[in-house]
Amino acid sequence: MPYVNIKITNEGATPAQKEQLISGVTQLLVDVLGKNPNTTVVVIDEVATDNWGIGGIPVTRLRQQSSA
C-alpha cells in the first residue's frame, strides 16, 4: 500500500488542483510501479509560509523580500 505525502505552502491551491495532484500521483504509481490505485493513499499537507523555511529564512520573509 503506497503512501505519498505532498507538502505545499498554503498559498491558494484550489480543490481542483489538489484533486489533480491526488489523481496524477496515484496514476504515476500505477504506471511506473504497477501499484493498485485502490490501495494507494495520497495526503496533501498545506503548511503556512511562516512554518516553511528555505536557506534558514521563513518563506513569508522570502516572499516579502522578492516583492520589494
Side-chain angles (χ1 to χ4, degrees):
M1 173 173 77
Y3 176 92
V4 178
N5 184 223
I6 300 171
K7 294 185 183 287
I8 59 174
T9 56
N10 63 347
E11 296 177 287
T14 67
Q17 289 170 321
K18 293 175 200 177
E19 186 175 333
Q20 188 175 359
L21 282 171
I22 292 167
S23 173
V25 167
T26 299
Q27 190 59 51
L28 183 64
L29 286 165
V30 170
D31 295 345
V32 174
L33 299 176
K35 296 300 181 178
N36 181 346
N38 295 322
T39 60
T40 298
V41 177
V42 180
V43 176
I44 299 173
D45 290 326
E46 292 183 275
V47 180
T49 57
D50 287 342
N51 299 330
W52 190 301
I54 300 171
I57 301 169
V59 169
T60 303
R61 187 163 5 127
L62 288 172
R63 299 276 197 272
Q64 291 167 347
Q65 291 172 352
S66 68
S67 66

